Amino acid sequence: MSTTGATADPLAVLAALPGVVESVESVRKAVDRVYGHRVMRRRSNEITSEAALRGARGSAALSGADWALEEVRRRTDFSGDDEARTVGAALRLTAEAGQLLSIWRQSPLRVLARLHLVAAAESDPRVGRPRRQGESVDEPLVELPLPDAEEVSGRLEGLSRLIIAGSAAPALVTAAVVHGELLALRPFGSRNGLVARAAQRIVLVGSGLDPKAICSAEVGHAELGRAAYVAALDGYASGTPEGMAAWIAHCGKAVELGVRESTAVCEALQRGAA
C-alpha cells in the first residue's frame, strides 16, 4: 500500500471505496449484536477464552496446521512436528497479542518484532527483525512476488507512520490494511501469516471495535478457506481500488463469521451445554 500522495489519511480514502462502507456497517451491527447478548453480561471472560482458542486454531489452519478444535484443546505439547509447532505458535501469539495493545499505537514495529519472536520461539539471529537482502522466506501459502529488503523496510516505516499518526478510518479498514500489508511484504523469515493475523487482532481489539476479543477474524478466515484468502490477498497486492475493497470486504466477512462463532458459544452457555 502506498502511503504517499495528496491525502494525509490514505486509510480514510480506502474507507470510502464502493463496498467498503457497507462492509464496515455490517461488521459494526454484527459486533453490537454479540456484545448485547445476555450471556456477555455475566460470562464474558469465558467467551473471550473460547474465542482465543478458536482464533488460534483458525490462524494455524491457514498456515497449514488444520487441527480439530478438540485436538487443540486437548494437547499440551506443541514441540513435535511442524504442524504442532505451528499450532503452538498460534496459541502463543493469541495470548501475547493482548499484552501489546498499549504499545501498538506508539511503536508498531516493536510490537511486530515481539510477535515474531514469540511465534518463532528460537534463537536464530534473524528472529525478531525484518529480513535482510538475500535472506529467504518460508511462507508457502503466499505466492506473491517477494519484495526486496529495501522495499520491505520502506513500507514498514510507512505503515508505522500511519498507525502512529492515527486515522479517521474505521477499525476494520485499518486492521485489513495492516493484515494485508504484512502478508504482502512477508518481512520476517517465517511465520508471517501468523504474525499478520495477530496484528489484525491487536488493531480490532485496541480500536475498541472488539475490546473483549470475542470476534475472532481468524475463525472466519479459516472458514472462508485458504483459496479465498489467497485470492483476496491478490486483490490487495494489486493496489487497485477494486482489489483493495475486495480484501477489506473479505476481512469484514471473516469478522462476521467470528461473531457468529462466538454467538453460538453464547447460546451454548445459555443452554447450559458448554
Side-chain angles (χ1 to χ4, degrees):
M1 177 191 175
S2 172
T3 59
T4 61
T7 177
D9 190 353
L11 296 177
V13 173
L14 294 178
L17 289 173
V20 174
V21 174
E22 295 82 355
S23 182
V24 167
E25 182 61 21
S26 182
V27 167
R28 179 75 266 176
K29 289 179 179 178
V31 172
D32 285 347
R33 283 195 298 271
V34 71
Y35 270 85
H37 197 286
R38 61 186 299 179
V39 170
M40 283 295 297
R41 293 194 293 271
R42 298 177 287 109
R43 304 178 71 174
S44 64
N45 288 342
E46 293 173 72
I47 308 301
T48 295
S49 295
E50 187 65 19
L53 184 73
R54 295 180 184 220
R57 192 217 72 83
S59 190
L62 287 168
S63 287
D66 192 2
W67 287 14
L69 179 63
E70 291 310 312
E71 177 67 8
V72 179
R73 198 190 304 278
R74 180 188 68 82
R75 288 283 285 267
T76 57
D77 180 10
F78 297 97
S79 62
D81 58 18
D82 286 344
E83 286 196 5
R85 288 191 291 272
T86 296
V87 175
L91 289 166
R92 292 192 301 273
L93 281 174
T94 300
E96 186 74 11
Q99 310 302 313
L100 299 172
L101 296 173
S102 63
I103 305 172
W104 174 255
R105 285 294 299 272
Q106 287 73 44
S107 187
L109 298 184
R110 179 181 163 196
V111 169
L112 293 175
R114 175 61 185 168
L115 290 173
H116 189 241
L117 280 166
V118 169
E122 56 185 274
S123 58
D124 191 311
R126 294 173 296 178
V127 170
R129 64 157 173 81
R131 56 186 167 82
R132 295 171 183 163
Q133 202 65 33
E135 292 181 346
S136 62
V137 173
D138 179 15
E139 199 68 47
L141 174 64
V142 181
E143 297 181 351
L144 294 168
L146 190 67
D148 65 26
E150 184 177 355
E151 181 179 351
V152 168
S153 177
R155 286 172 64 175
L156 282 178
E157 287 293 339
L159 183 63
S160 177
R161 287 195 296 271
L162 279 180
I163 299 302
I164 293 169
S167 172
L172 172 65
V173 174
T174 304
V177 167
V178 168
H179 185 174
E181 193 72 353
L182 292 174
L183 277 178
L185 292 177
R186 284 146 290 164
F188 303 110
S190 63
R191 307 296 193 197
N192 289 284
L194 294 176
V195 168
R197 291 184 288 275
Q200 176 185 251
R201 170 181 283 265
I202 287 172
V203 175
L204 293 174
V205 174
S207 68
L209 176 65
D210 181 23
K212 294 184 183 295
I214 62 170
C215 308
S216 298
E218 304 96 322
V219 168
H221 283 302
E223 185 171 338
L224 290 167
R226 296 175 76 184
Y229 187 66
V230 170
L233 178 62
D234 286 346
Y236 175 87
S238 75
T240 65
E242 297 80 9
M244 299 286 281
W247 168 253
I248 294 168
H250 184 85
C251 290
K253 181 63 175 176
V255 174
E256 291 188 63
L257 290 171
V259 168
R260 188 178 70 178
E261 186 92 350
S262 285
T263 301
V265 174
C266 286
E267 295 293 332
L269 287 173
Q270 185 167 281
R271 293 192 304 268

